[in-house]
Amino acid sequence: MVKGLIDRYRDWLDLPRSLTPVTIGEGDTPLVRWDDWGKSRIWLKLEGTNPTGSFKDRGMTVAVSIARHNGSRAVICASTGNTAASSAAFASRAGLASVVVIPEGQVALPKMVQSAVHGAHLIAVRGNFDQALAAVRYAAQQESWLTLVNSVNPWRIRGQETSAYEIVDDLGAPPTLLVLPVGNAGNISAYHKGFVRYAKQAPRFIGVQAQGADPLVQGHWLDQVKTVASAIRIGRPASADTAKAAVSETQGRFLSINDQEILAAQKDLAHGGIFVEPASAAAYGGLKKLSAEEELPAGDIVVILTGMGLKDTETPQQWANLTMTPTTSEHIVTTISQLLNLAEA
Ligand code: F0G
């Protein structure tokens, strides 16, 4: 039987005793040995294998369980898409209503479809994610029956800590280096807290942003944000302070990579059997950039792949070959040999 992450890590989460978990079997995601680069062992944590296809489910099982426990009637979030889909799924599982507020025209269609199938009410605001977040914070302050489930809700962060616990359980100790994409900066903060709580020791953190949406690299807020990685198209990360602490306390760093490097990383991973969305590919691209700039430490390096590839099917069409070769049953063998020869040439 599949256990949700509250059942597995309840002792670490400080939840009310009488709380009944809202779960759809989240967490317990694969840590895949990808490659060895010199003395570094590169592991990929496939967070896209969570039930709604992203790491958000870890925070949402906890935040929505608490919302229902406290008598909330509805949950609300601002989102670049994944938080929306996850909150909608967990709210419907819990019997609560959900409202998702998205930056108009900025969210990949499959994530909107996901939110809609679970019955979420979709609201679009003009502007970017930061305006959407300001709007939902205001709304949740006005109504006591409405719970904000963005990562500014501390229960989201508690839930997301569990990925660090799993990595420690799998490797036997924290890795030397942890690489992950950074948007609103909740997840990097959660991993830092998670390693410190569970292993009393954290890896060096490398927070990767997309050029054009890299306020933590630039050192100031950005009001205009532009990147192919729509999930992390954020100019004013709400958890900037805790993210900066995660990086400075572990002698880590923030770095950013451009759209081309993000797509190249997506292609590299896809050609090794792993299809992730652009924001997640940014982490792998960030590790490649880091390895070109400095010697990687020996030992375990973990790259967090936050969301699965089908979340955004439009972007990879910039590089994937979707040509359909017509044939008939008499000619199929010839067609196949021609195609394979072409591929080898
Ligand atoms: N990767 C993916 C696939 C994401 O969806 C997000 C954030 C991040 C990385 C960055 O995580 O915000 O904690 O630094 N998505 C949010 C959303 C903003 O609305 O789905 P973060």
Side-chain angles (χ1 to χ4, degrees):
M1 194 191 71
V2 179
K3 273 189 173 180
L5 63 83
I6 293 181
D7 283 337
R8 273 181 290 122
Y9 291 114
R10 188 151 187 151
D11 291 349
W12 294 87
L13 296 174
D14 298 319
L15 296 167
R17 252 168 220 275
S18 58
L19 175 135
T20 309
V22 178
T23 178
I24 36 182
E26 60 293 323
D28 202 12
T29 59
L31 187 64
V32 174
R33 176 88 166 255
W34 170 250
D35 205 357
D36 289 1
W37 296 354
K39 290 188 172 146
S40 317
R41 290 182 294 273
I42 313 296
W43 300 87
L44 306 177
K45 179 96 168 136
L46 303 193
E47 287 289 279
T49 65
N50 274 296
T52 76
S54 87
F55 72 97
K56 305 287 180 178
D57 296 348
R58 293 182 183 276
M60 221 47 88
T61 179
V62 179
V64 173
S65 298
I66 290 279
R68 187 175 67 179
H69 180 81
N70 291 344
S72 219
R73 281 166 48 198
V75 296
I76 189 168
C77 66
S79 183
T80 56
N82 284 323
T83 300
S86 183
S87 70
F90 281 86
S92 63
R93 187 93 181 104
L96 303 180
S98 65
V99 180
V100 308
V101 180
I102 58 147
E104 192 171 17
Q106 300 282 311
V107 173
L109 183 61
K111 299 175 184 178
M112 312 255 290
V113 173
Q114 262 191 305
S115 307
V117 296
H118 297 302
H121 302 276
L122 309 178
I123 298 177
V125 295
R126 292 248 164 80
N128 53 38
F129 171 83
D130 306 298
Q131 273 99 42
L133 183 59
V136 298
R137 285 176 118 154
Y138 173 77
Q141 270 165 9
Q142 307 307 305
E143 302 296 346
S144 59
W145 47 264
L146 185 61
T147 299
L148 183 63
V149 292
N150 278 102
S151 58
V152 293
N153 176 332
W155 291 112
R156 275 278 312 277
I157 302 291
R158 283 311 289 269
Q160 284 172 215
E161 281 186 24
T162 58
S163 185
Y165 308 170
E166 288 175 12
I167 292 169
V168 173
D169 285 345
D170 281 349
L171 296 177
T176 54
L177 200 72
L178 189 98
V179 190
L180 80 175
V182 176
N184 210 26
N187 208 30
I188 188 170
S189 308
Y191 274 93
H192 186 223
K193 292 198 170 93
F195 282 114
V196 170
R197 194 187 310 276
Y198 201 69
K200 302 210 163 33
Q201 182 199 337
R204 188 173 167 229
F205 277 90
I206 307 298
V208 184
Q209 299 211 284
Q211 272 166 34
D214 52 354
L216 296 169
V217 176
Q218 300 293 327
H220 55 81
W221 296 147
L222 299 174
D223 287 325
Q224 304 291 329
V225 275
K226 196 169 176 294
T227 164
V228 72
S230 60
I232 51 172
R233 204 180 277 148
I234 293 174
R236 294 169 176 260
S239 299
D241 289 344
T242 42
K244 284 184 208 161
V247 161
S248 66
E249 285 172 26
T250 64
Q251 283 81 50
R253 58 183 274 204
F254 292 108
L255 57 83
S256 59
I257 64 170
N258 64 32
D259 282 359
Q260 257 181 324
E261 292 167 316
I262 290 173
L263 296 180
Q266 185 180 43
K267 189 172 179 174
D268 274 9
L269 290 168
H271 288 178
I274 295 170
F275 184 24
V276 298
E277 68 168 288
S280 313
Y284 183 67
L287 177 65
K288 287 209 299 184
K289 182 165 182 178
L290 187 76
S291 74
E293 288 177 9
E294 52 179 88
E295 200 183 328
L296 297 180
D300 296 317
I301 294 180
V302 175
V303 181
I304 308 300
L305 298 180
T306 47
M308 67 105 82
L310 292 173
K311 290 275 195 176
D312 172 357
T313 50
E314 232 172 89
T315 309
Q317 291 182 37
Q318 293 180 31
W319 58 264
N321 180 7
L322 282 164
T323 313
M324 301 288 161
T325 308
T327 192
T328 59
S329 45
E330 299 102 77
H331 295 113
I332 187 146
V333 175
T334 334
T335 308
I336 292 168
S337 351
Q338 278 169 355
L339 283 172
L340 296 188
N341 286 338
L342 274 181
E344 274 163 22

